[in-house]
């Protein structure tokens, strides 16, 4: 399961030798690539369409509570197995932790979960972009909703063309493209393939709901891993029976969880990884990526991710 802004494509972008999806498939695993609701692969609904504001009234809570269980049940029904392995990057892990705590019966359907850049607690993130945005996130979300702008970074022919025009390795604007990623995720210039940058940029504009970002900002502001705050005591009382959104009970995540983290991750701080590890119901392992220059984005596109990360992910799966 991919992270925010992204789609299932991130698992195959770097080709057969350097993409986790291909690597697992070549080793005989049956690989299923999930898509979060709202991205350009996941925009159909039985009654709503993406042009309606109501379509976008979700965060990663709904992805974890409704969508992941539906995906898991679909996979197990079609394969005949009773359990599966799970890999989640960033929001892919956040939504898993929501599922494990709010739908604990699904823990029994997981052999092992591996979290790449596990995003739950956000108090110690370093990204100046997120730090600047976070205090205003809920207000921005409300304003965007009022004017009918509920989608963030939607994918379109224009955005794809702009990425290839402005972010190619010969463009004078290339530093703007790279620095946006670095200031968001952490500086790792030696891990970034500049030839592939336009493809990366076009693929991390897959589309998401503004509420997903607002929910993450609330985690940073509150220091909690908890449900979405509707910004109103009355609405929170209606939704939760309390004026403050309840915390997710991570002790209920009893599926074994292996966490892969990096020191140069500007989204997931080391202290937050330790706190998450301590509160999970069944922490199975915690591995630091063995290089100082490895950012939050590098979990999906680093030049040498295969040798320093994916081989370990594969080894852990094979041993369990």
């Amino acid at each position: 399961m991919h992270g925010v802004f992204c789609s299932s494509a991130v698992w195959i972008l770097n080709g057969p030798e350097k993409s986790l999806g291909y690597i697992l498939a070549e080793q005989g695993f049956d690989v299923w690539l999930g898509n979060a609701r709202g991205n350009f692969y996941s925009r159909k609904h039985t009654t709503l369409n993406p042009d309606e504001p109501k379509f976008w009234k979700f965060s990663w809570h709904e992805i974890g509570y409704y969508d992941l269980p539906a995906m898991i049940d679909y996979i197990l029904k079609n394969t005949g197995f009773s359990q599966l392995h799970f890999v989640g990057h960033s929001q892919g892990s956040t939504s898993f932790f929501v599922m494990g705590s709010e739908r604990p019966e699904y823990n029994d359907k997981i052999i092992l979960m591996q979290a790449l850049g596990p995003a739950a607690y956000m108090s110690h993130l370093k990204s100046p972009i997120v730090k600047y945005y976070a205090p205003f996130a809920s207000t921005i979300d409300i304003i965007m909703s009022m004017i009918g702008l509920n989608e963030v970074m939607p994918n379109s022919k224009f955005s794809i063309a702009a990425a290839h025009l402005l972010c190619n390795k010969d463009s004078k604007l290339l530093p703007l493209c790279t620095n946006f990623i670095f200031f968001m995720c952490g500086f790792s210039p030696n891990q970034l393939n500049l030839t592939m940058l336009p493809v990366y940029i076009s693929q991390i504009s897959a589309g998401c709901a503004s509420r997903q970002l607002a929910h993450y900002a609330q985690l940073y502001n509150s220091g909690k891993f908890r449900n979405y705050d509707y910004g109103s005591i009355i609405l929170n009382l209606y939704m939760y029976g309390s004026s403050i959104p309840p915390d997710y009970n991570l002790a209920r995540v009893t599926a074994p969880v292996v966490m892969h983290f990096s020191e140069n991750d500007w989204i997931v701080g080391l202290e937050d990884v330790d706190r998450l590890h301590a509160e999970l119901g069944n922490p199975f392992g915690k591995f630091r990526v063995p290089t100082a220059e490895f950012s939050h984005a590098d979990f999906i596109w680093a030049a040498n991710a295969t040798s320093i990360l994916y081989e370990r992910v594969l080894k852990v799966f094979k041993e369990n």
Side-chain angles (χ1 to χ4, degrees), residues 182 185-193 261-266 288-299 301-305 308-309:
F182 293 155
C185 300
F187 279 77
S188 56
N190 292 326
Q191 296 289 349
L192 183 59
N193 182 343
F261 67 96
S262 63
E263 295 179 4
N264 191 42
D265 188 333
W266 282 20
R288 179 181 63 84
V289 176
T291 180
E293 187 188 67
F294 201 90
S295 75
H296 192 67
D298 288 332
F299 286 98
W301 66 36
N304 62 347
I308 63 176
L309 176 63

Side-chain angles (χ1 to χ4, degrees), residues 71-72 75-76 81-86 109-112:
M71 294 180 198
I72 289 170
I75 294 168
L76 296 181
F81 288 96
S82 60
Q83 291 181 305
L84 50 74
H85 287 287
F86 188 100
K109 300 184 180 186
I110 306 299
I111 302 169
L112 181 74

Side-chain angles (χ1 to χ4, degrees), residues 31-87:
V31 181
W32 297 72
L33 307 179
N35 281 288
R37 65 168 76 183
N39 78 26
F40 56 77
Y41 291 124
S42 186
R43 298 170 67 87
K44 291 186 177 180
H45 191 277
T46 55
T47 60
L48 303 174
N49 69 69
D51 294 328
E52 300 178 65
K54 193 174 181 180
F55 177 93
W56 298 99
K57 299 302 181 184
F58 66 87
S59 78
W60 36 260
H61 173 87
E62 284 74 17
I63 295 170
Y65 192 90
Y66 297 107
D67 303 347
L68 287 191
M71 294 180 198
I72 289 170
D73 287 341
Y74 181 87
I75 294 168
L76 296 181
K77 179 181 178 180
N78 279 273
T79 60
F81 288 96
S82 60
Q83 291 181 305
L84 50 74
H85 287 287
F86 188 100
V87 181

Side-chain angles (χ1 to χ4, degrees), residues 98-157:
V98 170
M99 180 186 72
S101 62
E102 299 289 292
R103 306 284 298 275
E105 66 273 19
Y106 278 86
N107 287 294
D108 294 334
K109 300 184 180 186
I110 306 299
I111 302 169
L112 181 74
M113 186 275 194
Q114 297 202 56
L116 314 182
Y121 291 110
M122 311 289 288
S123 301
H124 296 87
L125 63 80
K126 301 175 183 178
S127 169
I129 295 176
V130 179
K131 285 184 175 182
Y132 178 81
Y133 163 80
F136 313 104
S138 293
T139 302
I140 293 172
D141 183 43
I142 293 171
I143 294 173
M144 290 181 66
S145 180
M146 290 175 62
I147 62 178
L149 295 176
N150 301 280
E151 184 179 8
V152 179
M153 295 182 69
N155 187 270
S156 65
K157 292 181 179 179

Side-chain angles (χ1 to χ4, degrees), residues 6-314:
C6 298
S7 75
S8 57
V10 298
W11 301 111
I12 59 173
L13 283 182
N14 280 340
E17 302 297 327
K18 297 183 178 181
S19 298
L20 184 59
Y22 282 120
I23 291 169
L24 291 173
E26 288 294 325
Q27 291 295 317
F29 287 92
D30 186 22
V31 181
W32 297 72
L33 307 179
N35 281 288
R37 65 168 76 183
N39 78 26
F40 56 77
Y41 291 124
S42 186
R43 298 170 67 87
K44 291 186 177 180
H45 191 277
T46 55
T47 60
L48 303 174
N49 69 69
D51 294 328
E52 300 178 65
K54 193 174 181 180
F55 177 93
W56 298 99
K57 299 302 181 184
F58 66 87
S59 78
W60 36 260
H61 173 87
E62 284 74 17
I63 295 170
Y65 192 90
Y66 297 107
D67 303 347
L68 287 191
M71 294 180 198
I72 289 170
D73 287 341
Y74 181 87
I75 294 168
L76 296 181
K77 179 181 178 180
N78 279 273
T79 60
F81 288 96
S82 60
Q83 291 181 305
L84 50 74
H85 287 287
F86 188 100
V87 181
H89 172 242
S90 193
Q91 182 185 255
S93 64
T94 312
S95 53
F96 180 91
F97 298 139
V98 170
M99 180 186 72
S101 62
E102 299 289 292
R103 306 284 298 275
E105 66 273 19
Y106 278 86
N107 287 294
D108 294 334
K109 300 184 180 186
I110 306 299
I111 302 169
L112 181 74
M113 186 275 194
Q114 297 202 56
L116 314 182
Y121 291 110
M122 311 289 288
S123 301
H124 296 87
L125 63 80
K126 301 175 183 178
S127 169
I129 295 176
V130 179
K131 285 184 175 182
Y132 178 81
Y133 163 80
F136 313 104
S138 293
T139 302
I140 293 172
D141 183 43
I142 293 171
I143 294 173
M144 290 181 66
S145 180
M146 290 175 62
I147 62 178
L149 295 176
N150 301 280
E151 184 179 8
V152 179
M153 295 182 69
N155 187 270
S156 65
K157 292 181 179 179
F158 174 79
S159 64
I160 293 173
H164 284 270
L165 176 65
L166 304 177
C167 298
N168 69 77
K169 61 185 180 64
D170 298 319
S171 171
K172 293 181 179 180
L173 296 179
L174 179 63
L176 291 178
C177 301
T178 57
N179 284 331
F180 174 78
I181 294 171
F182 293 155
F183 275 103
M184 175 72 76
C185 300
F187 279 77
S188 56
N190 292 326
Q191 296 289 349
L192 183 59
N193 182 343
L194 293 181
T195 302
M196 286 291 292
L197 184 60
V199 178
Y200 298 152
I201 295 292
S202 64
Q203 289 298 320
I204 62 171
S205 58
C208 70
S210 60
R211 187 173 289 185
Q212 291 170 253
L213 304 184
H215 200 170
Y216 272 126
Q218 290 175 3
L219 302 187
Y220 172 74
N221 294 333
S222 69
K224 305 285 188 179
F225 182 51
R226 66 187 188 187
N227 282 257
Y228 182 77
D229 189 339
Y230 287 89
S232 163
I233 293 177
I234 294 175
L235 283 176
N236 284 339
L237 284 170
Y238 175 77
M239 295 298 297
Y240 308 121
S242 63
S243 60
I244 299 175
D247 294 349
Y248 294 110
N249 186 354
L250 289 166
R252 300 179 74 186
V253 184
T254 56
V257 175
V258 173
M259 295 190 293
H260 302 268
F261 67 96
S262 63
E263 295 179 4
N264 191 42
D265 188 333
W266 282 20
I267 298 295
V268 179
L270 299 181
E271 298 90 343
D272 295 328
V273 171
D274 290 339
R275 184 179 178 185
L276 173 61
H277 183 266
E279 294 186 14
L280 284 170
N282 189 11
F284 199 69
K286 185 173 63 171
F287 297 108
R288 179 181 63 84
V289 176
T291 180
E293 187 188 67
F294 201 90
S295 75
H296 192 67
D298 288 332
F299 286 98
I300 55 173
W301 66 36
N304 62 347
T306 299
S307 60
I308 63 176
L309 176 63
Y310 297 158
E311 288 180 357
R312 176 183 283 170
V313 171
L314 180 62

